[in-house]
Structure formats: structure tokens, C-alpha cells
Amino acid sequence: MTPEKLFDTTADFYLQLIHPDLEDAGFRRALDAFCELRGELDFDLALALLQDRNWRSRLLGLVVGALLSEWSLAPAVVELIKEPIGISIVPAGAWLMVQHQRAPTFSPEIDLSEFDLGLFDGEVVWILTRLQALREGTFTVDSEATGPNFKQSLQSQLALYALLCSVN
């Protein structure tokens, strides 16, 4: 499948990925329909979406990567945070957190000096400090924690990626 075909097939599903609500029946239906595409998705598609300079593509790339459990995409996800485009920062951090929990050997080293920590109202540093805390074993999920720029719930993002990578 090509990125264009995925966008055509999923319509505006990417919008629901900004603030995913696993308790919402409409979101679950859209998510289930997305998961049915699994056989048509692959690493190359996920990578192409992640490397696009468009937050819509990046959100779809993250869910494709999680659904396929393509943890070798972790360096591309780190690059996404190094060169952030708005709404994809918190989802990318959540993806890396789930990846680290599921396949820590694929977790790339993160050097904070390589990031512009002030971007997007400090959302880059906000997500990276939580990722580091997870790696150090000191992270706890605060149900009220939202990214400072787009107010995306970290807990909701974590739940989405954990669910996707558990789909068989």
C-alpha cells in the first residue's frame, strides 16, 4: 500500500489520533477498521509516513509501526522528535515508551543536546523527560498529564500504542 492509498482508505482517521479515546465507540470502530488493513501494511510504508514532513502522515506512520510491532523504526521516531511538526510530538514519545517496554534492545540512545528542547511550548523536553524517566524506572503515568502545546493526553496515547501492538 502507498501512503496515498492509506489516506484514501482511512479518510480522516488521522484526526482521531490527535486525542484518541479508546472508550469512544466511534473511535473504536475506526480503529478496528484500521487494524483490518494490517495485511496491506509494511515497514516501508511506516517509514515513508514517518519521514514525511507532515503531522498527518507521521501520526499514521506511528500507528502503522505499532500495529506491525516494527520496533526497528525507533530511530526514525526519534528523528521525528528531533525535527518535530506539532501534533506528532506526544504520540511519538508515547510510541517510544511502548517500544521500550516491549523491545528495549531496539531503544536508541537519546542525547538531549541533539534536540531543540524549547520547541512547541516545551513539548519536546516534556515528552523526552518522561521517556527518560521510563527508561530509568521512575516514570508513573499521571492520568491528567497532557503535553503543553496541544494538550494531548499521554495516558491516552500510551493506551493506544499498547493496544495496537497487542493486536494479532
Side-chain angles (χ1 to χ4, degrees), residues 39-102:
E40 300 177 52
L41 309 175
D42 60 25
F43 173 89
D44 292 329
L45 173 63
L47 183 61
L49 290 164
L50 290 171
Q51 291 176 336
D52 194 351
R53 300 265 322 143
N54 179 309
W55 65 265
R56 294 162 188 84
S57 297
R58 289 175 171 194
L59 290 180
L60 283 178
L62 291 166
V63 294
V64 169
L67 182 61
L68 298 175
S69 295
E70 280 287 357
W71 304 129
S72 61
L73 290 166
V77 176
V78 171
E79 289 300 315
L80 184 154
I81 299 173
K82 283 182 185 175
E83 298 181 25
I85 297 177
I87 297 171
S88 60
I89 299 166
V90 173
W95 190 97
L96 287 168
M97 292 171 132
V98 170
Q99 175 271 318
H100 181 75
Q101 292 170 327
R102 304 259 176 178

Side-chain angles (χ1 to χ4, degrees), residues 11-167:
D12 63 356
F13 174 63
Y14 65 88
L15 291 173
Q16 296 178 35
L17 299 172
I18 298 168
H19 296 283
D21 181 357
L22 295 179
E23 302 300 317
D24 179 71
F27 178 72
R28 288 304 292 252
R29 281 191 300 277
L31 187 61
D32 290 345
F34 174 80
C35 290
E36 290 175 8
L37 299 172
R38 184 179 186 176
E40 300 177 52
L41 309 175
D42 60 25
F43 173 89
D44 292 329
L45 173 63
L47 183 61
L49 290 164
L50 290 171
Q51 291 176 336
D52 194 351
R53 300 265 322 143
N54 179 309
W55 65 265
R56 294 162 188 84
S57 297
R58 289 175 171 194
L59 290 180
L60 283 178
L62 291 166
V63 294
V64 169
L67 182 61
L68 298 175
S69 295
E70 280 287 357
W71 304 129
S72 61
L73 290 166
V77 176
V78 171
E79 289 300 315
L80 184 154
I81 299 173
K82 283 182 185 175
E83 298 181 25
I85 297 177
I87 297 171
S88 60
I89 299 166
V90 173
W95 190 97
L96 287 168
M97 292 171 132
V98 170
Q99 175 271 318
H100 181 75
Q101 292 170 327
R102 304 259 176 178
T105 58
F106 285 103
S107 292
E109 292 297 319
I110 294 180
D111 179 356
L112 293 180
S113 69
E114 297 176 358
F115 296 84
D116 185 342
L117 302 177
L119 289 178
F120 294 96
D121 298 326
E123 198 157 270
V124 170
V125 72
W126 183 85
I127 199 65
L128 290 176
T129 56
R130 280 149 183 80
L131 178 58
Q132 281 189 277
L134 176 86
R135 290 177 172 190
E136 295 166 359
T138 60
F139 176 74
T140 58
V141 179
D142 176 358
S143 63
E144 303 298 316
T146 59
N149 194 37
F150 289 104
K151 304 300 181 208
Q152 292 168 292
S153 166
L154 181 55
Q155 185 175 25
S156 294
Q157 294 290 335
L158 289 168
L160 170 64
Y161 293 110
L163 174 68
L164 283 168
C165 67
S166 68
V167 172

